[in-house]
């Protein structure tokens, strides 16, 4: 019998999230929330939220711009710096300064407090600031494990060049064509930081059953023949299928998020994301009684 080639079934486009207004986080981060768990928690699990601070010019200042001491419990914050400099410090001993291309992966887990500011040097000179913060959920069994901090510097993050000059993929978490990213994750997750430019279709292999979202930060990506995903928009794909097909891309900077869904209830309030309302009440009590620590 001849071997009949079969096309791999691709994940169908499910919906496009086009974001609305922006708000400030502290006095340093003018962000748009491109998705968040009250609306998309089940569809986008294990991803909870993505805030995008699009490129903004800041004049030189001696002020500390950002957000002061505040808690988190039950998930991880992943901060990707595209331009500028970010300083972070937490009550579990994590912290540091990161610049363009660097990523901080903070596992809040059982709880900590931290502060997030523009880097001192950047604040003094001023310039363009651009950053993404992604919240990644933890499975119930890991929510009360010890906090942890991973500083993922640009030189640790492998870059894969796509065939036919279609662009490049920085592998922050998971793997892409055999190149593994440096992030240690609790559940299988891919975070690919991509630059795409191609008039030809781009195929990305992604595991069957995985949540898959394409977050376009800049430029445009065409999918499904006629759909255009523009800046600060998110394409959400069906879980069934073995990859996605992008028809073309024009000067696009985009994050591909995919991962094994965590099939557990999501109950959140402000900086806490747990599984039940009782756990939220406990988180508030633990924070208020100082159990998440304080910054020196
Ligand atoms: Mn925070």
């Amino acid at each position: 019998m001849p071997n009949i080639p079969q096309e791999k079934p691709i994940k169908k486009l499910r919906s496009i999230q086009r974001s609305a207004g922006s708000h400030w986080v502290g006095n340093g981060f003018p962000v748009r929330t491109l998705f968040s768990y009250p609306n998309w928690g089940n569809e986008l699990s294990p991803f909870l939220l993505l805030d995008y601070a699009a490129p903004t010019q800041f004049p030189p200042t001696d002020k500390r711009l950002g957000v002061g001491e505040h808690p988190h419990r039950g998930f991880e914050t992943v901060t990707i710096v595209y331009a500028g400099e970010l300083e972070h410090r937490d009550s579990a001993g994590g912290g540091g300064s990161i610049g363009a291309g660097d990523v901080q992966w903070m596992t809040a887990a059982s709880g900590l407090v931290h502060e997030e500011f523009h880097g001192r040097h950047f604040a003094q000179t001023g310039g363009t600031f651009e950053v993404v913060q992604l919240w990644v959920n933890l499975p119930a069994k890991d929510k009360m494990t010890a906090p942890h901090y991973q500083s993922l510097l640009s030189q640790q993050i492998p870059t894969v060049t796509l065939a036919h000059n279609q662009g490049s993929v920085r592998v922050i978490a998971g793997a892409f064509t055999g190149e593994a990213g440096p992030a240690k994750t609790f559940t299988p997750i891919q975070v690919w930081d991509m630059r795409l430019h191609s008039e030809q279709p781009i195929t990305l292999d992604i595991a069957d059953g995985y949540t898959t979202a394409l977050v376009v930060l800049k430029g445009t990506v065409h999918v499904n023949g006629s759909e255009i995903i523009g800046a600060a928009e998110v394409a959400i794909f069906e879980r069934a299928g073995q990859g996605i097909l992008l028809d073309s891309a024009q000067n696009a900077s985009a994050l591909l998020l995919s991962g094994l869904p965590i099939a557990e209830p999501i109950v959140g309030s402000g900086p806490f994301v747990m599984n039940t309302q009782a756990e939220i009440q406990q988180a508030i009590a633990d924070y208020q009684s100082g159990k998440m620590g304080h910054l020196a």
Side-chain angles (χ1 to χ4, degrees), residues 25 67-68 70-72 75 77 88 106 112 114-116 133 135 271:
V25 174
V67 53
H70 63 280
H72 291 291
F75 62 98
T77 64
H88 159 264
M106 186 188 79
L112 46 61
H114 75 159
E115 61 180 23
E116 300 160 276
Q133 187 167 86
W135 290 12

